[in-house]
Amino acid sequence: MQERGNVMVFIEHRDGMPAEVSLELLSKARELAAALGVGVEAAVLGAGDGYDPGSLGRYGCERVVLVQHPGLERFTSVPYAKTLTQVIQRYEPQVVLFGATTTGRDVAPRVASELQCGLTADCTDLQIGEHKAKGTVYTNVLLQIRPAFGGNIVATIVSPDSRPSMATVREGVMPRRELDSWQPAQVVKEDIDLGEGDVLTEILDVVHKEKAVDMKKAKIIVSAGMGAADPQSLEAVHELAAALGGVVGASRPVVDAGIVPKEHQVGQTGTTVRPNLYIACGISGQIQHRAGMSESKRIVAINTDPAAPIFDIAHYGIVGDVKQVIQHMIKAYKDKE
Ligand SMILES: Cc1cc2nc3c(=O)[nH]c(=O)nc-3n(C[C@H](O)[C@H](O)[C@H](O)COP(=O)(O)OP(=O)(O)OC[C@H]3O[C@@H](n4cnc5c(N)ncnc54)[C@H](O)[C@@H]3O)c2cc1C
């Protein structure tokens, strides 16, 4: 582990525990750090009562910079941004990663602005590579990859002249990988200069909105596209999901039309899912939908159009009408039981 120039992840907390997205980012950070030949460190602010920060070693974190202060117990913009800025100035990581959550989207731009460094929002991939510009070759640059221009192109963004390179990444995009054998991370406590004038917001209460459906945790998803948006087809989709013990997903136009609630949307602007089985019913398979489900373990696609792009990534493709195919599937499944 180097003293400077590591890959740092900002650990966000939910109910005193590290958020999923932070653990996913630690897993990605491990990959980036290996390419750079440096270490992985985490910035843990305020909480840490519910767990041992050293346990982040399970995800490849080697050092935790822990800052505890009454003004950091719950997230508020100014104290968090100020603390994180100071942590980054002291430890000088070359890459800093945040979840593209409400918290990450609030704090990361404040820190980037304070440090005058580059920040790319909503990355879908991160790599270490080379960048050539105006006769200069930059090596070991963070390549920040994300859809741009309404998802019509995939852009690679670099900020080679400023340090650190900072990026936010959406939840569920990077797979979370625990190490089989791991060592507890070294925990370094830091005092940060945070005065009363920095803590301007008092949080009186936190109200949690219960999720109607947790798409990320679903093992089986049966998704409806515009080819399955009529009442009978949609009923068949619900029936199949119930028969298999799965949940219903949807493409964006189905959600936009108010047919299925937004929490069920899969894709670039919905949820990224990786179930064991994804059944795409009447979904054409545009890039923005595929971005949210292409890493499913098994993909079954049902579509009347044999040339639909969804068949390019499907493990099993069925050309036919959704209603008829689903009825056969349910019958076959029930007969087998
Ligand atoms: C910035 C941006 C973000 C986006 N984000 C998302 C996102 O998060 N998720 C998402 O899904 N989309 C997203 N989109 C929209 C995306 O580009 C596509 O428009 C959308 O995925 C298409 O949805 P669909 O496949 O349901 O509909 P369509 O493209 O209309 O496809 C319907 C399919 O159903 C088939 N079909 C018709 N009738 C039947 C039948 N009876 N039985 C079987 N098959 C039938 C047709 O052959 C066709 O392939 C985004 C777009 C943009 C620009």
Side-chain angles (χ1 to χ4, degrees):
M1 176 90 183
Q2 297 190 174
E3 274 314 296
R4 302 275 178 270
N6 296 306
V7 179
M8 180 178 272
V9 176
F10 165 62
I11 304 295
E12 202 175 305
H13 292 106
R14 300 213 180 124
D15 299 325
M17 298 299 286
E20 278 285 298
V21 67
S22 304
L23 304 178
E24 292 162 7
L25 289 179
L26 279 176
S27 306
K28 185 66 191 184
R30 216 163 70 218
E31 225 178 280
L32 300 175
L36 290 166
V38 299
V40 175
E41 57 198 356
V44 173
L45 274 51
D49 292 345
Y51 71 105
D52 167 19
S55 65
L56 295 174
R58 191 186 294 277
Y59 299 94
C61 176
E62 291 156 82
R63 175 166 63 196
V64 174
V65 182
L66 177 66
V67 188
Q68 286 173 314
H69 184 284
L72 298 172
E73 257 170 42
R74 289 208 175 121
F75 174 78
T76 52
S77 314
V78 176
Y80 264 64
K82 195 164 176 188
T83 304
L84 210 47
T85 303
Q86 290 182 50
V87 167
I88 293 170
Q89 282 167 336
R90 280 184 206 174
Y91 285 83
E92 296 177 8
Q94 56 179 301
V95 170
V96 186
L97 306 179
F98 301 78
T101 57
T102 323
T103 300
R105 285 177 178 160
D106 182 328
V107 77
R110 293 172 190 270
V111 174
S113 155
E114 191 63 36
L115 297 172
Q116 300 275 294
C117 64
L119 168 69
T120 304
D122 275 347
C123 294
T124 51
D125 194 10
L126 298 168
Q127 290 169 17
I128 300 298
E130 197 179 83
H131 172 67
K132 291 183 192 151
K134 294 180 187 159
T136 307
V137 179
Y138 299 87
T139 53
N140 285 341
V141 174
L142 181 69
L143 306 177
Q144 300 156 91
I145 299 155
R146 54 153 297 161
F149 292 106
N152 291 318
I153 62 159
V154 175
T156 299
I157 299 168
V158 292
S159 37
D161 292 321
S162 66
R163 283 285 179 276
S165 289
M166 306 214 312
T168 70
V169 177
R170 282 182 50 213
E171 196 157 356
V173 173
M174 310 286 177
R176 179 179 119 173
R177 295 197 181 96
E178 291 183 31
L179 293 171
D180 291 334
S181 91
W182 57 279
Q183 301 223 317
Q186 174 203 9
V187 180
V188 184
K189 289 194 176 181
E190 283 287 344
D191 286 325
I192 293 292
D193 174 24
L194 208 56
E196 261 181 40
D198 295 318
V199 186
L200 301 168
T201 312
E202 185 188 357
I203 297 185
L204 301 178
D205 196 8
V206 176
V207 181
H208 292 282
K209 188 179 169 209
E210 287 297 323
K211 272 189 183 173
V213 60
D214 194 344
M215 298 294 292
K216 276 188 68 188
K217 291 217 172 104
K219 299 266 181 274
I220 298 176
I221 297 176
V222 184
S223 258
M226 285 310 277
D230 62 286
Q232 290 86 359
S233 303
L234 202 62
E235 197 184 322
V237 166
H238 277 275
E239 225 181 295
L240 181 59
L244 299 177
V247 301
V248 170
S251 69
R252 178 164 151 174
V254 173
V255 169
D256 287 349
I259 299 167
V260 170
K262 168 81 180 162
E263 304 89 74
H264 295 257
Q265 185 185 318
V266 173
Q268 185 190 314
T269 43
T271 307
T272 302
V273 296
R274 286 190 188 79
N276 292 337
L277 176 62
Y278 189 88
I279 306 181
C281 307
I283 294 179
S284 53
Q286 299 305 319
I287 180 95
Q288 295 89 355
H289 187 81
R290 285 157 49 162
M293 47 64 75
S294 62
E295 288 188 31
S296 304
K297 292 207 179 70
R298 278 285 170 272
I299 299 170
V300 177
I302 308 167
N303 202 302
T304 43
D305 176 7
I310 193 74
F311 288 129
D312 297 343
I313 57 161
H315 299 96
Y316 303 97
I318 304 168
V319 177
D321 174 70
V322 154
K323 290 182 284 303
Q324 289 172 9
V325 174
I326 288 184
Q327 289 318 327
H328 284 301
M329 286 171 97
I330 293 173
K331 185 170 181 310
Y333 185 72
K334 288 196 172 157
D335 285 352
K336 209 177 160 219
E337 267 188 325

